[in-house]
């Protein structure tokens, strides 16, 4: 038997192996184990206070699970590696984000969440009773501290067409978006600025802005009455608890209990991010600190020296320095300030171009201030290119061909390590030994037209305390 | 086809190849790391990699057997490799060079043990087509002794990959 036939025999044997048992079925159990272990869980469950057991037909609800960590103590929200499914025969559907979309018929179904080797189930009833009106602000009393917010789950009255008893249950996600909330101070008529209810992503949140009593009503189309707008009864709500202290810290701080902010310099054209930290007393007597920037009111005594603006998520205030050698006092308050606040500002976030202050003797308002001094950027070095070619300071760059124009780009590096292009902010002096070899282009800082004669170009470029001598040698 | 029948086939091949010209048998040993990779995470238990093979010209045929050195864990999941059995064919793509570059084809069965909190111990055998590349260079002082590095995809499934990285020595008789 020669080698060639032996070799072919081996390859054929190998091909048999290739078509034989590939164990893709066996890997599923191992993959499931890794999925569970990656999250470090030993158990998953549906928290009852976060998942609705009854939802209306033709509506939707988002379901969530939490997991018990392997230490047997900690529970965490689980948001990844979840496979969602419904009991067989369900007319409703569920997507892989956990959103259950109810069908048009009444039914009882079971939601199953699978995370690797772990399973949890939750029974849901789809009801054809129709929403009539909101009958309660939340299933439990709402306790919210000043300058904080709390998610609320309004309770609605649902009416069955077939004469079955009415249902009182949490309002469907689709109905929450249709509710208009009316809030007034107790004993008064005008809209209140003590509280605000913000609805986003089918979730309603009560924001506490000032100490006091308010009356809240919900106005929404009644599905059982064919879309007639129905206004609920009055819901009494009090905001009584406030922070014991307020301070300003850097947004980068992680220990809010201990953070402090001394004199703060801000380099011009740079941005500083600050947060308002409220210290609250807990029921056990201890204190804890929270970032309350979003619902605090911010102001400044000079909006020319600095620009102040909320970040997109309103979790910090961004301050940009404009005028060097100026000091600006940034102020923040929690509660009812002396300044007039527009209702629209309460919705988008209160940032005034004047200081915010609490009236003397007003115990329901806390304030804090921070001085911000804008300092000059200190240039460490300049880098210059001409027509894209890097130049060395005071060293001639020889061009192989004579360009029609010269375009300089100047980049400054500062002592804080940052850098930016400063071409239009630099000053240029033509020190060329050959007269008329270049001439500045009007209106275009850093651009020069090359003349027909002369070979040696020398331009002094200055920014801050640094000067760069750009030297070029041009052919004829 | 069971592993035992495959091993028999391999030795049958060796029997027929033994009188071939320019042939040599060899052994190899390397400590190796076998990465168990899923979309959720991975572990890297280590194994000792023993090879017994036959070379003729640019072709090599190997039987590999690996046993556990160390387990590895992903949080509370402990994974170990009690054994690996493989058959490899190697083709030397650079016969004239000092550094050999070899294409590796074969078939492997990997036994995996796992333990996890509150779960019974789990044992599974994963087998399938393997492929990879190997680098080899002879030691100048002892030409029969070769320094070898292998990168082999031992198994690739829908959601699971087993990858071997070994560094060791091969000795030709």
């Amino acid at each position: 038997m020669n080698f060639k036939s032996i070799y072919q025999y081996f390859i054929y044997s190998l091909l048999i192996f290739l078509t034989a048992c590939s164990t893709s079925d066996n890997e599923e159990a191992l993959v499931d184990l890794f999925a569970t272990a990656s999250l470090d869980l030993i158990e998953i469950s549906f928290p009852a206070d976060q998942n609705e057991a009854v939802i209306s037909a033709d509506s939707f609800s988002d379901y969530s699970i939490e997991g018990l960590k392997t230490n047997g103590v900690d529970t965490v929200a689980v948001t990844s590696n979840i496979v969602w499914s419904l009991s067989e025969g369900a007319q409703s559907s569920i997507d892989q984000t956990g959103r259950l979309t109810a069908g048009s018929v009444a039914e009882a179904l079971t939601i199953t969440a699978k995370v690797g080797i772990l399973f949890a189930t939750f029974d849901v009833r789809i009801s054809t009773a129709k929403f009539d009106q909101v009958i309660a602000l939340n299933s439990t009393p709402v306790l919210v501290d000043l300058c904080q917010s709390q998610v609320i789950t309004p309770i609605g009255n649902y009416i069955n067409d077939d004469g079955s008893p009415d249902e009182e249950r949490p309002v469907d996600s689709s109905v929450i978006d249709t509710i208009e909330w009316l809030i007034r101070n107790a004993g008064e008529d005008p809209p209140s600025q003590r509280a605000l209810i913000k609805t986003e992503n089918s979730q309603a949140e009560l924001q506490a802005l000032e100490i006091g009593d308010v009356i809240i009503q919900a106005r929404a189309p009644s599905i059982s009455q064919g879309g007639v707008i129905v206004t609920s009864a009055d819901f009494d709500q009090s905001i009584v608890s406030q922070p014991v202290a307020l301070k300003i810290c850097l947004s980068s701080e992680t220990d809010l209990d201990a953070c402090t902010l001394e004199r703060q310099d801000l380099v011009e054209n740079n941005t500083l991010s600050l947060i308002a930290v409220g210290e609250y007393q807990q029921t056990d007597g201890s204190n804890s600190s929270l970032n309350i920037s979003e619902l605090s009111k911010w102001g400044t005594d000079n909006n020319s020296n600095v620009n102040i603006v909320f970040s997109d998520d309103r979790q910090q205030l961004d301050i940009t320095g404009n005028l060097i050698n100026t000091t600006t006092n940034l102020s923040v308050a929690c509660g009812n300030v002396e300044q007039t606040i527009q209702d629209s500002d309460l919705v988008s976030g209160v940032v005034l171009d004047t200081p915010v202050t609490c009236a003397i003797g007003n115990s329901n308002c806390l304030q804090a201030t921070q001085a911000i001094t804008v300092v000059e950027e200190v240039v460490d070095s300049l880098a210059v290119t001409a027509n894209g070619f890097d130049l060395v300071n005071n060293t001639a760059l020889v061009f192989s061909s004579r360009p029609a124009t010269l375009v300089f780009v100047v980049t400054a590096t500062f002592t804080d390590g940052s850098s930016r292009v400063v071409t239009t902010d630099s000053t240029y002096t033509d020190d060329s030994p050959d007269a008329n070899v270049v001439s500045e282009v009007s209106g275009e800082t850093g651009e020069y037209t090359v003349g027909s004669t002369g070979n040696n170009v020398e331009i002094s470029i200055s920014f801050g305390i640094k000067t760069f001598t750009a030297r070029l040698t041009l052919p004829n | 086809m069971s592993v035992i029948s495959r091993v028999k086939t391999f030795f049958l091949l060796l029997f027929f190849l033994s009188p071939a010209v320019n042939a040599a048998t060899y052994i190899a040993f390397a400590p190796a790391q076998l990465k168990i990779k899923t979309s959720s995470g991975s572990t890297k238990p280590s194994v000792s990699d023993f090879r017994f093979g036959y070379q003729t010209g640019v072709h090599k045929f190997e039987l590999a057997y690996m046993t556990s050195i160390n387990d590895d864990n992903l949080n509370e999941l402990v994974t170990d490799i009690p054994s690996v059995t493989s058959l490899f064919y190697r083709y030397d793509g650079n016969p004239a060079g000092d550094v050999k570059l070899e294409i590796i084809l074969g078939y492997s069965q990997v036994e995996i043990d796992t333990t996890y909190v509150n779960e019974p111990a789990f044992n599974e055998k994963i087998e399938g087509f393997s492929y990879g590349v190997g680098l080899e260079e002879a030691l100048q002082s002892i030409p029969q002794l070769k320094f070898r590095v292998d990168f082999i995809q031992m198994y690739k499934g829908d959601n699971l990959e087993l990858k071997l990285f070994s560094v060791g020595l091969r000795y030709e008789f």
Side-chain angles (χ1 to χ4, degrees), chain A residues 3 6-7 9-10 17-18 21 23-24 26-27 29-30 33-38 40-41 70 81 117, chain B residues 1 6 13 16-17 38 40 56 59 75-77 89 107 114 116 119 124-125 127 129 155 157-160:
Chain A
F3 172 75
I6 296 294
Y7 170 71
Y9 180 77
F10 184 89
F17 293 153
L18 294 179
C21 30
T23 53
S24 58
N26 295 357
E27 54 175 88
L30 189 61
L33 199 50
F34 268 76
T36 303
S38 68
D40 200 26
L41 302 175
T70 54
N81 289 351
I117 59 173
Chain B
M1 188 185 290
R6 293 182 194 129
L13 284 172
F16 282 106
L17 287 170
T38 72
S40 306
T56 173
H59 309 283
N75 292 324
E76 296 299 319
L77 173 67
Y89 163 76
Y107 193 91
T114 62
Y116 190 65
E119 293 293 320
E124 192 61 72
K125 287 188 173 63
E127 57 183 78
F129 175 55
Y155 173 83
D158 294 334
N159 296 299
L160 175 69

Side-chain angles (χ1 to χ4, degrees), chain A residues 255-287:
Chain A
D255 185 354
L256 298 186
D257 290 330
C259 68
T260 58
L261 193 61
E262 303 301 328
R263 169 197 161 89
Q264 187 62 44
D265 289 341
L266 174 59
V267 176
E268 69 167 323
N269 299 322
N270 279 13
T271 299
L272 178 70
S273 297
L274 301 178
I275 56 174
V277 177
E279 184 179 341
Y280 293 84
Q281 189 170 57
Q282 306 302 303
T283 53
D284 62 359
S286 64
N287 287 356

Side-chain angles (χ1 to χ4, degrees), chain A residues 15 72 136 138 217 238 243 248 279 295-296 299 336 360 474:
Chain A
L15 288 174
N138 196 49
Q217 291 178 296
S238 296
I248 298 175
E279 184 179 341
L295 300 185
S296 296
N336 54 325
I360 295 174
L474 307 178

Side-chain angles (χ1 to χ4, degrees), chain B:
Chain B
M1 188 185 290
S2 70
V3 173
I4 293 176
S5 60
R6 293 182 194 129
V7 171
K8 286 181 181 176
T9 304
F10 177 81
F11 282 104
L12 187 64
L13 284 172
L14 287 182
F15 173 76
F16 282 106
L17 287 170
S18 55
V21 177
N22 295 329
T25 56
Y26 63 83
I27 58 173
F29 170 76
Q33 189 179 68
L34 202 155
K35 183 175 182 180
I36 306 171
K37 184 183 174 194
T38 72
S39 57
S40 306
S42 63
T43 58
K44 298 178 184 178
S46 52
V47 295
S48 53
D49 179 359
F50 299 95
R51 309 274 179 99
F52 177 64
Y54 182 83
Q55 175 180 358
T56 173
V58 296
H59 309 283
K60 293 188 182 75
F61 307 91
E62 282 184 352
L63 171 67
Y65 182 75
M66 306 175 202
T67 60
S68 170
I69 296 179
N70 265 330
D71 56 32
D72 192 24
N73 61 285
L74 171 63
N75 292 324
E76 296 299 319
L77 173 67
V78 179
T79 60
D80 198 7
I81 309 289
S83 72
V84 178
T85 307
S86 301
L87 292 176
F88 293 127
Y89 163 76
R90 305 174 75 107
Y91 176 79
D92 182 357
N94 183 28
D98 291 337
V99 178
K100 308 297 182 187
L101 176 64
E102 296 178 326
I103 296 170
I104 305 169
L105 300 173
Y107 193 91
S108 301
Q109 182 187 74
V110 181
E111 184 181 2
I112 301 175
D113 275 351
T114 62
T115 56
Y116 190 65
V117 178
N118 291 353
E119 293 293 320
F122 174 90
N123 177 278
E124 192 61 72
K125 287 188 173 63
I126 306 289
E127 57 183 78
F129 175 55
S130 306
Y131 58 91
V133 295
L135 297 171
E136 189 176 270
E137 185 175 15
L139 298 180
Q140 290 188 348
S141 55
I142 310 174
Q144 305 98 309
L145 192 62
K146 327 283 183 180
F147 175 75
R148 165 193 270 200
V149 177
D150 279 353
F151 303 89
I152 304 176
Q153 178 102 26
M154 303 290 279
Y155 173 83
K156 184 173 172 60
D158 294 334
N159 296 299
L160 175 69
E161 290 183 32
L162 304 176
K163 298 182 180 183
L164 182 80
F165 172 64
S166 71
V167 179
L169 298 169
R170 181 174 75 88
Y171 184 81
E172 283 182 6
F173 294 101

Side-chain angles (χ1 to χ4, degrees), chain A residues 115 129 150 224 226 242 252 286 307 365 432 469:
Chain A
V115 178
Q150 181 176 321
S224 71
Q242 65 184 57
S252 57
S286 64
N307 285 343
C365 180
S432 301
T469 303

